[in-house]
């Protein structure tokens, strides 16, 4: 069994949950009588755009990396760097958008981070 994708998943999940916890710690405290401010509605479209860009880029790298074993045409290294940057942006987005740090959100962000890290490390490993 190949442990690299599992390590990538654990690393990405720790980035996502760690950034969520750090953002929660750095946010100013809310007075007891007030509600916590809700994220702006435009932030949901930014997250969807980041995620779709990451999915398209990673899907391209997986397909071309797999095909490169027979065609010997390898995707440029810059695309892998762009995929890593897009993956980091997707992992940091929940913390920057103001998602609260509680057990439910931390679990969801951790599972999402596992998916991102596993997919990204598999895309890199398919490169010949």
């Amino acid at each position: 069994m190949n442990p690299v994708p599992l390590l990538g998943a654990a690393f990405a999940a720790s980035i996502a949950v760690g950034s969520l916890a750090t953002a929660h710690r750095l946010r100013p405290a809310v007075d007891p009588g007030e509600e916590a401010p809700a994220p702006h509605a435009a932030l949901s479209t930014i997250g969807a755009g980041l995620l779709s860009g990451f999915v398209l880029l990673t899907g391209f790298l997986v397909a071309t990396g797999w095909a490169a074993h027979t065609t010997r045409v390898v995707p440029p290294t810059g695309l892998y760097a762009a995929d890593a940057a897009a993956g980091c942006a997707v992992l940091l987005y929940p913390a920057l958008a103001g998602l609260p740090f509680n057990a439910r959100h931390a679990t969801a962000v951790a599972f999402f981070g596992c998916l991102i890290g596993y997919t990204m490390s598999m895309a890199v490993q398919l490169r010949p």
Side-chain angles (χ1 to χ4, degrees):
M1 183 171 152
N2 187 1
V4 174
L6 298 176
L7 292 173
F11 180 69
S14 65
I15 288 174
V17 174
S19 67
L20 193 65
T22 303
H24 176 74
R25 179 118 170 117
L26 295 177
R27 266 187 221 118
V30 179
D31 292 332
E34 292 182 24
E35 276 189 39
H40 194 273
L43 288 175
S44 65
T45 58
I46 293 171
L50 284 173
L51 184 59
S52 64
F54 171 76
V55 167
L56 286 172
L57 186 56
T58 304
F60 173 77
L61 291 177
V62 166
T64 55
W66 191 357
H69 289 282
T70 57
T71 63
R72 303 289 182 231
V73 177
V74 181
T77 307
L79 286 180
Y80 290 95
D83 188 41
C88 286
V90 169
L91 291 174
L92 295 176
Y93 177 76
L96 296 174
L99 194 68
F101 184 68
N102 54 33
R104 182 179 66 155
H105 291 115
T107 303
V109 166
F111 282 131
F112 186 69
C114 286
L115 179 64
I116 296 291
Y118 189 88
T119 307
M120 195 180 320
S121 62
M122 287 301 293
V124 170
Q125 283 196 322
L126 280 173
R127 185 175 188 187

